[in-house]
Structure formats: C-alpha cells, structure tokens
Amino acid sequence: MGGGQTGQDLIRRDVDEAIRQAYTYQSFLSQLRRMGYRVKTGPRVKHTAILPPGGKGYIRLDSLKDGYTEADVRARLTAI
C-alpha cells in the first residue's frame, strides 16, 4: 500500500487549515475562497459544497467523513 494522499485527504487538510484561520462560518468560507476553492452555499443550497482549484466537480463538505458537516465545522469554530 502506498502512503500517497487522496484528493479528499488534501481537501480535508485545506478545510482544517481554513478552520484554524477563521473565526466564523462566513470567514471560514471566505478563507476557502482565498485558497482558490469555489464554494456553493446559501439559503437555496441544501448542503455546502466546494470545488477545489483545478477540480472537476463539487464535493459536499459532509462527504469528507465525520467532523466536516456544516454543523461540525461551526462547532469546531466555536471551540477555538
């Protein structure tokens, strides 16, 4: 087995970094945008999704495993 990182591993790392630099959910999304991600969110979007730089499709935050749903990200931001 190789020790290479998957695309989702890299996205989780970037999301973790954005959480470390953010103080609200909106600043978290802004931080992701500064990192080159496109973000789909808002009242008409059921699940926040991000498109990594050079990515071919949006990935829902909640598909990144435990700790990455919108509620989890919000909780991690308030725990800082």
Side-chain angles (χ1 to χ4, degrees):
M1 296 228 167
Q5 290 189 314
T6 67
Q8 285 203 346
D9 289 334
L10 298 172
I11 292 168
R12 276 192 287 275
R13 186 196 67 203
D14 285 347
V15 168
D16 290 341
E17 181 60 28
I19 290 170
R20 275 192 290 279
Q21 296 183 25
Y23 48 93
T24 66
Y25 192 70
Q26 288 306 314
S27 66
F28 159 72
L29 297 176
S30 295
Q31 185 61 35
L32 283 174
R33 288 183 181 105
R34 278 195 289 280
M35 297 166 85
Y37 284 80
R38 294 185 61 190
V39 178
K40 271 203 292 195
T41 190
R44 296 172 68 148
V45 176
K46 191 170 185 176
H47 300 282
T48 300
I50 57 177
L51 177 67
K56 292 181 174 39
Y58 280 86
I59 297 168
R60 285 175 31 182
L61 284 181
D62 61 6
S63 74
L64 294 174
K65 297 188 179 161
D66 291 344
Y68 294 93
T69 66
E70 181 175 336
D72 289 338
V73 170
R74 287 180 186 274
R76 289 170 67 186
L77 287 165
T78 59
I80 296 173

